[in-house]
Each structure stands twice: as C-alpha cells, then as structure tokens.
Amino acid sequence: MKKGIIFLIAAIMVIIVQGCSNQSNEETEMMKKKISQYAVTKIAYDETLLDERQKIVVNKLHEAAKLVDDIFWEQVYSGNKTIREELGKANNDYTKLVKDYFEINYGPFDRFDNDKPFYGTKEKPQGANFYPEDMTKEEFETWIKNNPDDEKAFTSEFTIIARKDNKLVAVPYSEHYADKIVKIAALLREAAEYADNETLKKYLLARAKGFETDDYFESDMAWMDLKNHTIEVVIGPYEVYEDALFNFKASYECFITLVDPVESKKLDIFASLLEEIENNLPYPDEHKNFERGSESPIVVVQEVYAAGDTRAGAQTLAFNLPNDERVRQAKGSKKVMLKNIHEAKFEKLLYPIAQQIMDEEQLPYVTFDGFFNHTLMHEISHGVGPGFITVNGKKTEVKKELQETYSILEECKADILGMYNDIFMIEKGVYPESFEKEIWATFLAGSFRSMRFGINSAHGGGNAIIYNYLLEKSAYEFNTEKQKVKVNYDKVYDAVKDLANKILMIQALGDYNGAKEMIAQYGIESESIKILRNKLSNLPIDIKPVYQIDNK
Ligand code: ZN
C-alpha cells in the first residue's frame, strides 16, 4: 500500500473514532447527569441494639430480602435478566454508567422521567411483567366476562396472568416464583428459631406460611401485634403501583429495621400528652375533639436493609401497612418511620437546599433534629383537631365536607401544628428552649424540599399556603437582592398561631368555600417561590442507599 493511502485510511479512521466518541461523550454526560440525581449515601444502624441471637435473625432476614429483591426484578420487566447479562459483559465507561442507572431503576426505564427507556427503545409494558406483554385491558376484561369463575384468581394481588394454549390463566405467586419462595420460607423459619421475642417468632412463622399459601391475613394480624420488639420487619408482596395496567398485582418488598429506643420514649411522652396538646390548640374549646384516640400507632426505626419495590427509584421515608382492609378494620394500621433515611435525606437533599436559599445567619439553625422532630410532630398532629363534626345539625366528617380541598388543608394543618406543638413541647420541658430557632428555620428550608417540584401535591400546596401567609405577615422575609429567605423570630409564633386558627376553623366548620379561598389566595407559586425554586434545579432529587450490612 502506498503511504498516501495508508495516511488517508488512518485519517478516516481517526475521524470515525472521534465521531463515535463525541457522540458517546454527549450520551455519557447525560447518563452521568441522570445518575447524579441520586446522591450515594451510606445507611448505617446501631449494631449494639442487637444481641448475638438477634444478629443471626437479621442475617437470615437479609438473605431472604435479597431473594425478595430477585423476585421484584423479575416482576418489573421480562427483559431484565437478558439486559443485566448484556450490561455485565460490557466494559466501556458509558455502558458501566448505564448499568448503574439500570440498577437504580430496577430496569431500563427511567422512573424520574415517565418510565422512558434509557437502554434500548422498547417502551415499558403497562402491566410490567404481571401479564403477557401483548395482552390488552380489553382482552383481560372480556376473558372475565366470558369466564366469571376466573374473576377472583385473575384480579388477585397474588397471581400473575400467563397465556397457555391461547388461553389466559392465573398462576399463584407461590407457584410462579416457587424456586425463590421455598428458600424465603425456609429462611424465615430459620430466623424464627433464633427469635426470642414471641410476637416476632409468631410473625415470622405465619409469614413463612403466607409465602407458601399466598394468604397473608394471619401474618398481617401478627405484624400488628408485634410488641416489645427490637427487630421490626415486613417482607412480602404489598403495593400494587408497579402494575400500571390495573393496580391489581402486588410487588414484593422488604424492610428490615430496628426499633429506635430514644425516639420510642419520645413517642410515649407525646401519647401521654395528647389531651393537653388538643387542649392547647388555638381554636375555641367548643370545637375541640378529645375522642381521637384510635389513631395508627407510630414506630420510629433505623433501617438496616430494604429490598424490592421500595428500593426502586426514590427511597421511602415512612410506610403505613398493612393494606388488607380486614386487618385495618380489626387492628388499624401501623406507621413506621425510617429515622436514618430521614437523616440521609436531610444531609443530601434538604441541607443543600438550605445552603442555596437560607440567609447565612440562620443556616446553622437548619438541623436534623429540627427536621426529624417536626416530621414526628407532623404525624402526631394529623391525629388532633377536628375529625367528625356537626354541620347544620348534621353529623359528618371534615373529609366529606372539604372534598377535593381536604388533602391540602389536612397536610397544611399537620405542618403548621407540627411547629406550634413543638413550641408547646418546649413549654412542657420536653425540648430545651434553645431548640426554638431550629424549629422555625428548619421548617422554612424544608418547605422548599416539598415545593421544589411544584405545589400541586398535597404537601407542596400545604407548604405554599404556610410560606405565602407567613411572608405576608412579615414572619418570613425575602431578600430580593441576595435571593435568600429568613425567619423573623419576633413575628413568627403569632403568625403561625393565627394561621393554625384559620385552618382549624375551616375544618371545624366544614367550610368548603373557606378552604377554596385559602388555597386560591395562598396556595400559589408566588414570585419568591419561583425565584428560589429556580436555584435548586441542579441539586440531587433523591438518595441511592449503600447499606452497611452489605459490606460485611
Ligand atoms: Zn402528612
């Protein structure tokens, strides 16, 4: 070959290679940006809470949880196994990033971008992998119409739908995922052998049976009965959101957690003060409600490990289970709050927001204590104030009277009373006086975590009402030049009390028009909300947990 030709070929090769790498550079940057939406965070727990036998229980549950995770991967998408193999073989930077994002999303579909595919071009099947991918809603419905005896099995939370000899059939989870289910049940029984707390032992044994029979009633009841326990665990199929076709089919998930002794004591104190809290609320005694005793119990825990449904995309801060209405009727439900996940989100999401928007002098008062204690009191505050009310001599409920405005008003109430009642706890000596500034400053910064993606959600809307109302009363101050906000400590308590009174009275009177006016006037994206929100667009949106227990 002549030198000139060799040179020409080499030049062309360089152009081709550069062309490719330029294109993938762009894609690489985009993928990096997607991944940076999730701040990698170590999730640790206090190992000293466990004795040697409890450690064995936790390790067995950890093994079971990983199998639950495998099942969920299968539930999300039929192609997951093949894609994982493909991505596993690749060794260039871009593919490694795609693999990372695939792991975060539990599949090739972007959970923060309407499930758009980021690997390959296939759209996510609406029914995930719970139904044949080519089955339509109409086909399913027609089948049930023609075969009414199949309805129960077909709409069950615990079956998948398959196509066999051109017919649709329902296959129970215990059969369809049998290889893993058998191992999970065995691990739960082994864990039960080391569980010295009788209520936990009972739950684990009942749950093992539940996995094998697809009947979780007894074990859900046993979960509500857990008492004096350290290990708080849920494992099984629960939420139905992954099935976007019908919301019938439950996804497997697991939370292994430890009850937090310090927070449990705090909750006991709140429970003993519930009547005083109601009595202290800023609205007339004639409307006060002292009969709201039967609310859901709250447990604060440290998360050791989470798997399956709850691990995909955004991480859970708290959950309320079980979903079985029969159990809820008999025993209510239980709210479990994950303290170390709150801690992780505070550090990686809330504090960076505060750094962008809070006046520098008040930044030191944005603290994890301020954040978590408010979250706790928010939950307690849902349980005080008007519930059943009388309107024009007719017995009714706040929820019914306020209709579509109810959620925003109720979240707004829980947030405003969260602050008001925390101040009351200072008066009662539960918190030190020095805590006051943290309550105010942390809430203001935190409200931008809720409003960051708009004010259309109940939480975002409720926070907008508080922000705009307090701004109007000069309890919050916005500095246009610096583009920062701060609390006016002299004015904030009275303004909070004032707004609490207005919200409580709307609820007490079942005042639908009042609620609508309140939302129209204050539940809006005002100028300063817009300016401050714009400053947050490059911050992470959620966390990606890395568990201490995995690194042993
Ligand atoms: Zn709430």
Side-chain angles (χ1 to χ4, degrees):
M1 224 184 284
K2 279 184 185 168
K3 257 189 183 170
I5 295 176
I6 294 174
F7 183 76
L8 190 67
I9 291 172
I12 291 170
M13 292 282 281
V14 167
I15 290 166
I16 290 171
V17 170
Q18 274 187 345
C20 288
S21 66
N22 272 346
Q23 189 196 358
S24 74
N25 266 348
E26 220 170 83
E27 284 174 339
T28 304
E29 285 314 306
M30 182 119 101
M31 200 43 75
K32 276 188 187 156
K33 203 173 171 212
K34 281 180 179 294
I35 291 171
S36 72
Q37 295 175 111
Y38 294 89
V40 176
T41 314
K42 191 177 170 196
I43 302 298
Y45 62 98
D46 181 3
E47 274 183 278
T48 63
L49 294 174
L50 298 173
D51 64 27
E52 290 311 309
R53 285 173 64 81
Q54 287 171 320
K55 280 180 189 161
I56 297 173
V57 175
V58 166
N59 286 336
K60 300 273 182 201
L61 293 174
H62 184 212
E63 290 308 307
K66 285 190 257 183
L67 291 162
V68 157
D69 208 60
D70 291 343
I71 299 181
F72 181 65
W73 272 100
E74 206 178 322
Q75 290 185 310
V76 173
Y77 183 47
S78 62
N80 272 349
K81 202 175 161 208
T82 314
I83 295 174
R84 179 177 262 168
E85 280 164 12
E86 283 167 15
L87 292 173
K89 274 182 227 143
N91 49 16
N92 68 59
D93 285 353
Y94 176 69
T95 320
K96 278 183 196 154
L97 291 171
V98 173
K99 187 165 182 289
D100 273 0
Y101 206 52
F102 173 74
E103 299 287 340
I104 288 171
N105 284 282
Y106 278 66
F109 311 106
D110 192 340
R111 289 178 189 267
F112 277 173
D113 190 11
N114 302 309
D115 281 333
K116 273 195 208 138
F118 56 86
Y119 178 77
T121 51
K122 259 191 91 179
E123 294 288 318
K124 183 173 187 183
Q126 276 228 301
N129 196 20
F130 298 110
Y131 310 87
E133 266 163 41
D134 60 352
M135 188 203 78
T136 60
K137 240 179 149 157
E138 292 71 37
E139 185 186 356
F140 182 92
E141 280 159 355
T142 309
W143 182 274
I144 289 182
K145 217 192 230 168
N146 297 335
N147 305 274
D149 290 348
D150 279 349
E151 181 171 357
K152 200 171 167 222
F154 269 51
T155 58
S156 159
E157 299 142 272
F158 312 128
T159 63
I160 63 113
I161 304 300
R163 207 188 285 287
K164 245 184 203 160
D165 308 325
N166 281 326
K167 287 178 184 164
L168 294 179
V169 289
V171 185
Y173 280 1
S174 55
E175 226 173 84
H176 188 70
Y177 307 115
D179 54 334
K180 294 177 186 86
I181 297 285
V182 169
K183 289 182 198 157
I184 293 168
L187 282 163
L188 293 180
R189 291 198 174 97
E190 286 169 30
E193 273 178 47
Y194 290 90
D196 298 320
N197 178 301
E198 281 306 314
T199 62
L200 178 64
K201 190 191 279 289
K202 194 177 164 198
Y203 169 69
L204 293 172
L205 291 173
R207 187 92 321 200
K209 209 172 136 206
F211 269 92
E212 291 165 341
T213 57
D214 302 299
D215 180 353
Y216 292 96
F217 177 75
E218 201 189 311
S219 52
D220 274 347
M221 296 284 274
W223 185 66
M224 287 303 296
D225 290 338
L226 288 179
K227 217 178 259 141
N228 302 322
H229 57 308
T230 300
I231 300 168
E232 169 71 69
V233 56
V234 292
I235 182 165
Y238 286 102
E239 307 300 343
V240 295
Y241 308 115
E242 196 68 23
D243 168 9
L245 196 63
F246 287 111
N247 279 181
F248 286 150
K249 308 301 175 191
S251 297
Y252 283 87
E253 68 181 352
C254 176
F255 293 93
I256 304 169
T257 74
L258 308 180
V259 176
D260 188 292
V262 176
E263 300 300 328
S264 300
K265 260 189 212 128
K266 215 187 276 168
L267 285 169
D268 288 345
I269 295 173
F270 294 158
S272 73
L273 291 173
L274 221 48
E275 227 178 87
E276 277 188 70
I277 290 174
E278 178 74 43
N279 207 20
N280 182 58
L281 292 182
Y283 73 135
D285 286 347
E286 58 184 288
H287 295 298
K288 280 182 184 156
N289 179 1
F290 295 99
E291 282 152 25
R292 293 189 68 171
S294 62
E295 299 294 329
S296 305
I298 299 174
V299 191
V300 177
V301 299
Q302 302 174 15
E303 184 171 286
V304 176
Y305 192 67
D309 191 16
T310 181
R311 252 311 254 292
Q315 298 304 297
T316 306
L317 278 171
F319 57 88
N320 201 328
L321 289 173
N323 292 330
D324 187 334
E325 277 307 324
R326 297 169 301 167
V327 182
R328 289 174 95 105
Q329 285 240 312
K331 292 183 185 287
S333 64
K334 181 158 68 180
K335 176 132 200 166
V336 180
M337 299 176 66
L338 306 159
K339 189 182 178 188
N340 49 353
I341 304 296
H342 277 85
E343 217 160 346
K345 293 208 188 194
F346 174 80
E347 272 167 33
K348 301 292 170 98
L349 310 176
L350 200 160
Y351 197 73
I353 289 174
Q355 285 175 310
Q356 295 292 323
I357 64 160
M358 284 297 283
D359 177 271
E360 296 84 31
E361 267 176 38
Q362 294 192 350
L363 193 58
Y365 297 104
V366 178
T367 62
F368 173 68
D369 260 2
F371 174 53
F372 192 69
N373 285 327
H374 181 269
T375 311
L376 266 188
M377 197 49 95
H378 171 111
E379 293 305 332
I380 300 284
S381 299
H382 271 308
V384 298
F388 288 100
I389 51 173
T390 307
V391 178
N392 298 329
K394 201 182 94 212
K395 277 214 155 250
T396 175
E397 282 173 63
V398 175
K399 201 184 224 158
K400 279 186 192 154
E401 297 303 314
L402 295 191
Q403 300 171 50
E404 86 283 358
T405 68
Y406 172 75
S407 308
I408 290 187
L409 265 279
E410 178 60 24
E411 288 310 327
C412 184
K413 178 197 90 176
D415 269 337
I416 197 94
L417 292 187
M419 289 187 271
Y420 180 83
N421 290 333
D422 268 347
I423 297 296
F424 185 48
M425 290 303 109
I426 292 178
E427 282 168 35
K428 298 297 292 179
V430 177
Y431 296 136
E433 232 160 88
S434 60
F435 187 51
E436 184 175 340
K437 284 183 177 173
E438 294 178 43
I439 295 171
W440 304 128
T442 308
F443 180 80
L444 172 55
S447 61
F448 278 86
R449 194 180 68 95
S450 307
M451 294 192 288
R452 189 176 161 193
F453 303 106
I455 52 164
N456 296 324
S457 70
H459 285 100
N463 275 287
I465 292 175
I466 296 173
Y467 176 83
N468 290 319
Y469 189 89
L470 296 194
L471 195 70
E472 186 187 280
K473 303 286 176 227
S474 311
Y476 287 166
E477 292 168 6
F478 176 65
N479 185 319
T480 327
E481 214 172 290
K482 287 203 258 175
Q483 300 201 338
K484 303 255 176 175
V485 274
K486 67 176 189 182
V487 179
N488 181 323
Y489 292 127
D490 296 327
K491 293 185 177 166
V492 68
Y493 179 76
D494 288 337
V496 160
K497 192 173 172 182
D498 204 34
L499 179 59
N501 167 271
K502 288 196 162 60
I503 302 283
L504 286 165
M505 285 314 292
I506 287 173
Q507 290 197 335
L509 301 174
D511 181 4
Y512 175 73
N513 288 329
K516 285 203 81 131
E517 276 164 32
M518 176 66 81
I519 293 170
Q521 194 177 350
Y522 296 105
I524 52 168
E525 185 176 38
S526 53
E527 198 50 35
S528 57
I529 293 180
K530 202 181 286 173
I531 291 169
L532 294 169
R533 263 182 66 189
N534 279 340
K535 297 175 78 177
L536 309 176
S537 54
N538 286 325
L539 296 180
I541 297 173
D542 214 275
I543 56 161
K544 180 192 169 195
V546 176
Y547 290 102
Q548 176 191 334
I549 194 170
D550 276 337
N551 295 328
K552 280 190 186 161

